[in-house]
Amino acid sequence: MNAQKNGKPGAGRVLRRTTIAASAALAVLAGMAPGSAQSQTIKIGVPVPLSGSSANAGTDILNGAKLAAAKVNAAGGVLGKQIELVPEDDACDAQTAVQAAQKLVDAGVVAVAGGYCSSAALPELTTFHRAGIPYVLDASTNPKLTEMGYDGVFRTIGRDDEQGPFAASFMKNSLHAKRAAVINDNTTYAKGLADNTVAALKKDGVDVVYDDAITPGQMDYSPTLTHVASLKPDVIYYTGYFSEAGLLVKEARQLGLKMTLMGGDGTNDPTLMKTAGPAANDMIITTAPLAQFLSGAHSFVDDYTKAYGQGPGPYSVYEYDAVGVTAKAIADAKSATPAAITAALHKISNYQGATGTIGFNPKGDRSVAVYITIIVRGDNFAPYQKQDAAGHWMAMK
């Protein structure tokens, strides 16, 4: 995929080999030769937000990675070595993310599995690409991540341009909405999901009466909500993160708004209910299936709950599979060099993960991505509706 990036065939591959060789040489000088006999472990980086408003999600993702590494290591590791996770805090911030990614490169990781905010994953990806290190994303859904022509990017989750049309179809064909308001927070993820949803709504003939952003971190969104309410939408769809979603939902109900409230998959964290309280009841969320709704993830849920004293959040199981499929690629390649791992990841087509069968298309996206809707019932998320093979909406059990 990189062969044409520098204007002539093979230039990208030559550059990548050069950067890989340079990174390996530096690692040798530091006593960390990636994938070599001198390494006592095989290092996999985990960049996630461990501080800031998304720290809860980042911790959950890291916990999923730990469970995956423990499973691999208990079975003897890979290539006779143990998997060593190297976490770094990217704080969902672009500048911090660059520093976190460089720390992982300097630490001698041979692959990376993680990510949460697309705004952080994009600069991380650029750093890993320059070092020739593959990046398997578990939660970052912006389409640009796999549209840049980079050979070493993969995803165990779907994309915003898949979720957007799914959300629009639900609004039109299940809720029978005629008028919709879409609110984002101007982050890379939220704006991307909003744009894809708005385009699909317009294509489906739904009148988009509001399409604008709030500023994250504010303490009062009632002026925006009052304005949106005056436009009389049948549904409000918020595409940002759970920290603001909880406040938006709480204030919307305090203002007496009766329309359906919806959120994208950045709102599917239990913190939503802690912030909004009873106001969150009946909020509907579009999301990849949560672990508790996946038939292949029962043991994962049990292990997570036993290890951490609470159920898993939304992306831990997708990180669990990201680490698992990376370990599988290392085993298939019979090598822990980044280039060999990347090549092996491209060949994977039917890895049986906790989230189902995983394979990657030529861009690195998951070949088959599934979305469902869930609904808030009390302090829990409950399955709501999904589409059948013909695209018809049906209740989930």
Side-chain angles (χ1 to χ4, degrees):
M1 295 171 63
N2 245 352
Q4 305 297 328
K5 293 296 284 185
N6 292 312
K8 51 186 177 181
R13 288 192 292 271
V14 171
L15 176 60
R16 188 160 59 251
R17 285 196 296 270
T18 301
T19 55
I20 291 171
S23 298
L26 289 172
V28 169
L29 291 174
M32 300 180 296
S36 76
Q38 298 175 17
S39 300
Q40 300 303 310
T41 60
I42 296 175
K43 295 182 179 181
I44 297 178
V46 184
V48 285
L50 298 174
S51 62
S53 61
S54 296
N56 188 65
T59 300
D60 176 63
I61 291 169
L62 179 56
N63 288 343
K66 290 177 179 178
L67 287 178
K71 181 180 179 180
V72 172
N73 289 340
V78 185
L79 307 182
K81 297 181 180 181
Q82 297 282 283
I83 294 293
E84 178 186 351
L85 298 180
V86 185
E88 280 293 341
D89 179 17
D90 66 21
C92 272
D93 173 77
Q95 184 173 352
T96 305
V98 172
Q99 297 168 353
Q102 190 58 52
K103 287 179 181 179
L104 291 175
V105 173
D106 294 343
V109 301
V110 298
V112 180
Y116 181 63
C117 296
S118 293
S119 54
L122 280 165
E124 288 167 354
L125 175 60
T126 299
T127 298
F128 297 137
H129 168 68
R130 288 171 180 163
I133 296 170
Y135 191 1
V136 184
L137 298 154
D138 71 300
S140 301
T141 55
N142 187 269
K144 187 178 179 181
L145 285 156
T146 47
E147 292 289 343
M148 298 171 72
Y150 292 169
D151 189 52
V153 57
F154 305 87
R155 219 183 317 231
T156 60
I157 198 82
R159 297 170 31 144
D160 295 334
D161 52 0
E162 295 169 318
Q163 183 179 185
F166 175 86
S169 174
F170 176 80
M171 289 182 228
K172 178 182 179 181
N173 299 313
S174 181
L175 297 181
H176 305 292
K178 304 294 185 184
R179 298 163 64 84
V182 180
I183 304 175
N184 71 86
D185 67 4
N186 258 340
T187 61
T188 302
Y189 152 72
K191 186 65 165 61
L193 178 55
D195 289 348
N196 281 284
T197 302
V198 167
L201 285 167
K202 291 179 177 178
K203 184 177 179 180
D204 289 346
V206 177
D207 186 11
V208 179
V209 299
Y210 185 88
D211 173 23
D212 208 343
I214 60 169
T215 300
Q218 292 187 343
M219 301 302 293
D220 183 11
Y221 295 111
S222 55
T224 297
L225 290 167
T226 300
H227 174 61
V228 171
S230 72
L231 303 174
K232 302 187 183 307
D234 301 308
V235 57
I236 297 176
Y237 186 50
Y238 179 61
T239 64
Y241 294 94
F242 59 86
S243 51
E244 283 74 35
L247 182 56
L248 280 166
V249 170
K250 184 176 182 178
E251 291 183 340
R253 295 313 187 203
Q254 288 175 341
L255 290 169
L257 276 60
K258 302 297 185 183
M259 70 283 291
T260 300
L261 301 180
M262 290 182 60
D265 57 355
T267 69
N268 60 9
D269 190 280
T271 307
L272 171 79
M273 287 84 87
K274 295 178 182 177
T275 303
N281 276 322
D282 296 327
M283 181 181 179
I284 300 170
I285 296 171
T286 58
T287 182
L290 305 185
Q292 58 265 40
F293 307 144
L294 289 163
S295 59
H298 295 322
S299 62
F300 168 80
V301 174
D302 291 342
D303 291 344
Y304 190 104
T305 304
K306 181 178 179 180
Y308 303 110
Q310 61 184 18
Y315 295 107
S316 54
V317 69
Y318 293 91
E319 173 69 1
Y320 180 84
D321 279 354
V323 173
V325 77
T326 301
K328 176 67 162 60
I330 295 169
D332 289 350
K334 296 181 175 59
S335 169
T337 63
I341 298 169
T342 296
L345 281 165
H346 277 293
K347 295 176 182 178
I348 288 177
S349 60
N350 62 348
Y351 174 77
Q352 298 304 307
T355 61
T357 302
I358 296 176
F360 302 110
N361 66 21
K363 292 180 180 180
D365 286 307
R366 186 166 180 161
S367 300
V368 179
V370 177
Y371 283 97
I372 63 171
T373 61
I374 59 177
I375 191 167
V376 178
R377 300 290 195 209
D379 292 329
N380 297 298
F381 293 120
Y384 191 55
Q385 291 187 3
K386 64 179 182 179
Q387 287 179 297
D388 63 17
H392 303 131
W393 289 94
M394 58 184 291
M396 292 180 63
K397 298 180 180 179

